[in-house]
Amino acid sequence: MSTDTDNEGKTTRITRKGQVTIPKELREEFGLEEGDELRWEKTEEGIRVRKTTRSAGRGMLVDDDVPEEKREEMAEEMGSEIREKRRSEWQP
């Protein structure tokens, strides 16, 4: 269960098993779905959570001079298309 803290975010609790629920609003806003991987990064400000980009094969078909930001955008678009295709294949 999530609760509002202020205009900046939501809070959730960690279970005994160390699991956390990502609030529905954030899952929808950032396109997070079952099976997606998240990266937990330690920063000077605390912990930052980011969706992984699964970079192992990334860039193979993209010119070296394409900025990282554009690569991320392209990967997100491709990921959305793949998820949509999977969804349509699983629906009767």
Side-chain angles (χ1 to χ4, degrees):
M1 171 185 266
S2 64
T3 59
D4 289 320
T5 55
D6 53 30
N7 291 334
E8 293 182 20
K10 304 273 185 183
T11 61
T12 58
R13 297 196 189 278
I14 301 172
T15 69
R16 273 184 242 155
K17 294 183 177 184
Q19 298 172 329
V20 204
T21 299
I22 302 168
K24 181 180 181 180
E25 298 86 5
L26 296 175
R27 293 192 315 264
E28 290 175 349
E29 180 177 348
F30 294 100
L32 300 173
E33 296 183 347
E34 182 178 347
D36 286 345
E37 293 182 16
L38 301 176
R39 179 183 348 199
W40 296 77
E41 300 173 345
K42 184 171 134 181
T43 69
E44 289 182 11
E45 293 84 28
I47 299 172
R48 176 172 52 190
V49 180
R50 297 179 66 179
K51 184 175 179 178
T52 61
T53 57
R54 296 189 178 110
S55 60
R58 180 172 296 175
M60 292 174 59
L61 303 176
V62 179
D63 291 334
D64 291 339
D65 61 345
V66 174
E68 183 64 27
E69 189 172 287
K70 180 65 178 173
R71 290 172 183 260
E72 293 294 325
E73 181 182 318
M74 293 167 70
E76 289 301 319
E77 288 175 14
M78 187 182 305
S80 294
E81 290 174 14
I82 291 169
R83 284 190 295 274
E84 184 59 36
K85 181 171 174 45
R86 287 179 184 161
R87 243 186 251 122
S88 67
E89 289 174 354
W90 286 98
Q91 292 178 357

